[in-house]
Amino acid sequence: MASVNEAVRLECIADMLQHTGLDRESIETDFLRYLCHFMGRNPGSEDYYLFKALSYTTRDRLMTYWKETWHAYNNQNLKKAYYLSMEFLIGRSLSNNLLNLGIEHEAAEAMHDLTLSLEEIEDSERDAGLGNGGLGRLAACFMDSCATLQLPVMGYGLRYEYGMFRQRIQNGFQVEEPDHWLGTGQYPWEVMRSEYTRVVKFGGASRQYTDPHSGQLTVHWENAEEIQAIPFDVPIPGYKNQTVNTLRLWSASAQEGFNLTEFNAGSYHEAIAKKSEAENITMVLYPNDSSENGKELRLKQQYFLVSASLQDVIAQWKKHNDGFSRFAEYNAFQLNDTHPSLAVAELMRLLVDKEGIKWDEAWKITTQTMAYTNHTLLPEALEKWPVSLFERLLPRPLEIIYEINRRFLMQVAMKWPADLQRQRRMSIIDEHNNVSMAYLAIVGSHSVNGVAELHSNLLKEGLFHDFYEIWPEKFNNKTNGVTQRRWLAMCNPELRELLNDTIGEEWITDLSQLSNLKPYATDAGFQNKWAIVKRNNKKRLAGLIKKQTGVELNVDSMFDVQVKRIHEYKRQLLNVLHVIHLYSRIKRGDMENWTNRSVIFGGKAAPGYAMAKQIIKLINNVAEVVNSDPDVGDKLKVVFFPNYRVSAMEVICPGTDLSEQISTAGKEASGTGNMKFMMNGALTIGTLDGANVEIREAVGPENFFLFGLHTPEVEALRPHYNPQGYIDQCYELQAVMGLLESGHFNQFEPGLFDDIIHSMRSPNDPWMTLADFHAYITEQQIAASAYLNQSEWIKMSILNTACSGIFSTDRTMQEYNKDIWKLTPVSVSLEE
Ligand code: 26W
């Protein structure tokens, strides 16, 4: 690469800045230039073109800062962190980038001058749905916070051609449709960087040989298939701070001249088929958030991400450094769950095989740089890969895992001599010849964290107890958060203005400032303003629901919302039982202390998760019966919001009164939807699970609707759980089960809900839905009565927002940084 002198570089920056003014006129000029010159359209053309033109205009304004940030990070010896994640659930970027650049108003005015609506243009952006749920969205919030905190953190992920499937509801059933989110064109935010292409190997065999000159024993990974990883960079702007961090997404591509021999031998067809097989690696996101074990392509994706990213970091390192003795001082890797935990073996391979570093030295570097975050307690979600699959795809990394395990088990034996049981329990390779990715991650990392207090404690006491006993110092907690830029400032503009007028704007970068709202909680004038904002947000949500489902909601009813992946442990079923209970009350005329409600569900079921799909069907059937019953009218409405996604949540959480967080205690690692709702002034009805515990602590028990068994009670009950006993004791539950079992909600679809009914009636029901039913409907009635006293409710709503300050990912990232990464913030300033 040609080296450019510093004066020229600075001149170039000055020039760029001059041509990308942040004022309305400059935005308008550039927008028109893109629209008319670059794309050959005009302001009357389809929203898609308008969106692209405005996105390019915005990206241009990020570009100077982006270059400068890159320059600042790479021209200094400073420590950097890399967030390795199979998922980044980014959602839309236009409105977010305008907000963080501080040019929302200017852009809106520029569009207005052209008689266009910024809101409509923003609305035409497709979600980048490169994630399943909480774990992927958390990664996206982390990226936003790191940029705002000016932390030198880079994200590494995969550029899936197809993101999370689109969910259509047909006759009440979920139907999955492919989400070709890139469309026919390009994602306007990304920049392809082919100069940083890396090569990733699969298959072949590992051979040892002795270097004839040095006599050194080395290992070669031979006859492997080689696949190119091409990086696409997405800018991640901080909030009004001139920092733009990078999310680098890898796309798989067959090498140029791929299989030329086969090609030349006349096997044209086979050669091309192999090419598309290579490119399959980043074709589609696995739409499953609990198990995808044993799927060859998934393991390939994981290794592809890890190998390309580590090679990238090492290549960057070698540009500025000789040798690896200080590598661990300057680099940190955070593993987002076990999905990228092959990084442990891959870093060892690169250091030992490629860089010629001795095992012990390489192991020190690896364990000092790697840190692992666990996001789930569900045993079925713990990744295990058959050794046979490794032998076929990743022969050399497998050898390295064997060696890691051998040395590790020696350590175990040393600590607990003759405890063979324990050695067997802790082995990275289990008795069924599966590689336990969690154990590999723990052994190879210096930090292991859970994502809420309760969850981190349960890891130490349960799942990872043996490991905690060897290395108590590794274990720590980092309670999740959400970014208030997207989840309050951007998605709730009316509340943002009210907050700004009341307590100033500082909360946007320091969420603890929200506590200054507390004195206003009982101020009648402020309560009034608060109520108006909430009502407007409910109108907006009702409008969207009407458009999507045709169901009309009464905005004065309580908006009771449960949106998240459909999973038995999250207990959407318990919520449905409550709905049926309310319906049954209406039918029998039991209307004492009644509160009108609109119950809103949303969420995707993994395509292969039959029970979750049945739950969706049940919700839709119950909705059908309830919404069409003239006895019910406005008293109760039920909707299933189709295709729940990031951009939907941006409308849903501001318009919610009651947030449902009702998982079986001990099962939800943290939850982050719970935090978005709280921040936007919803009250929570929930179990003592995940971060609910901390939410309740923060807001005070009097402002939280708690119910249900606690974790130890759940575990104590499990061996003698008797669902029939709960039915016998509770006439409301008898009524509900009576309706369900009589087929009232599946009159023309006999037997449809039998599996659901059996699962709830089973003494082995792991989620113990019926055990919490009575407590749940009791607490729901308390919430309903509370809603009748609007001034009290609004007070609690204000307090929920006021106490949500700790649930910012700014706080979370500061904790990761202080305890794990230890990076120094870098300020990027273009003023001089
Ligand atoms: C395909 C295998 C697999 C297994 C687990 C894919 C994805 C997972 C994730 C662990 C699922 C997930 O998203 N977990 C959620 O992570 C959030 C962020 O920490 C937490 O808030 C949620 O409680 C947790 O369920």
Side-chain angles (χ1 to χ4, degrees), residues 134-135 288-289 292 337 339 375-376 451 480 569 668-671:
L135 161 140
N288 196 319
D289 68 343
E292 214 57 77
D337 215 278
H339 317 157
H375 295 266
T376 181
V451 290
N480 283 165
Y569 85 81
E668 188 69 89
S670 162

Side-chain angles (χ1 to χ4, degrees), residues 329-359:
E329 254 174 80
Y330 289 101
N331 295 282
F333 298 99
Q334 192 71 38
L335 308 178
N336 199 20
D337 215 278
T338 55
H339 317 157
S341 59
L342 273 171
V344 169
E346 180 65 1
L347 185 56
M348 286 301 288
R349 186 184 74 84
L350 293 170
L351 294 176
V352 173
D353 294 359
K354 296 275 162 205
E355 305 298 337
I357 295 170
K358 295 258 158 32
W359 182 280

Side-chain angles (χ1 to χ4, degrees), residues 22-62:
L22 300 179
D23 55 294
R24 158 189 189 167
E25 286 77 22
S26 312
I27 293 172
E28 192 178 321
T29 309
D30 272 10
F31 171 78
L32 286 174
R33 190 169 49 77
Y34 273 115
L35 189 66
C36 307
H37 295 234
F38 187 65
M39 289 182 293
R41 314 304 298 184
N42 56 54
S45 70
E46 293 82 353
D47 282 348
Y48 161 77
Y49 288 109
L50 307 178
F51 158 70
K52 262 185 118 168
L54 189 55
S55 298
Y56 284 129
T57 305
T58 308
R59 199 186 79 179
D60 283 354
R61 280 148 182 79
L62 292 171

Side-chain angles (χ1 to χ4, degrees), residues 335-471:
L335 308 178
N336 199 20
D337 215 278
T338 55
H339 317 157
S341 59
L342 273 171
V344 169
E346 180 65 1
L347 185 56
M348 286 301 288
R349 186 184 74 84
L350 293 170
L351 294 176
V352 173
D353 294 359
K354 296 275 162 205
E355 305 298 337
I357 295 170
K358 295 258 158 32
W359 182 280
D360 288 326
E361 174 67 13
W363 185 244
K364 219 163 121 191
I365 294 173
T366 300
T367 51
Q368 284 174 358
T369 50
M370 296 286 161
Y372 156 57
T373 306
N374 172 282
H375 295 266
T376 181
L377 289 153
L378 302 184
E380 65 268 31
L382 293 179
E383 294 191 298
K384 297 205 160 183
W385 295 105
V387 164
S388 55
L389 196 56
F390 265 94
E391 279 167 347
R392 195 147 48 77
L393 293 180
L394 305 168
R396 181 55 186 153
L398 177 63
E399 283 178 351
I400 291 172
I401 293 171
Y402 277 134
E403 182 59 15
I404 293 172
N405 195 36
R406 190 183 68 79
R407 291 171 181 242
F408 167 61
L409 289 179
M410 271 165 47
Q411 222 181 320
V412 175
M414 202 90 85
K415 187 161 167 98
W416 292 286
D419 191 346
L420 296 178
Q421 281 285 5
R422 194 186 287 262
Q423 286 182 42
R424 175 136 33 86
R425 280 205 308 269
M426 298 183 77
S427 177
I428 296 172
I429 320 274
D430 71 13
E431 57 267 42
H432 308 293
N433 248 331
N434 289 318
V435 182
S436 158
M437 303 310 272
Y439 294 180
L440 176 63
I442 298 172
V443 172
S445 300
H446 64 283
S447 165
V448 176
N449 75 281
V451 290
E453 290 283 356
L454 173 69
H455 170 230
S456 297
N457 288 331
L458 293 173
L459 288 179
K460 292 194 279 192
E461 290 161 15
L463 212 48
F464 299 151
H465 184 70
D466 286 327
F467 294 87
Y468 175 65
E469 285 195 306
I470 301 203
W471 297 305

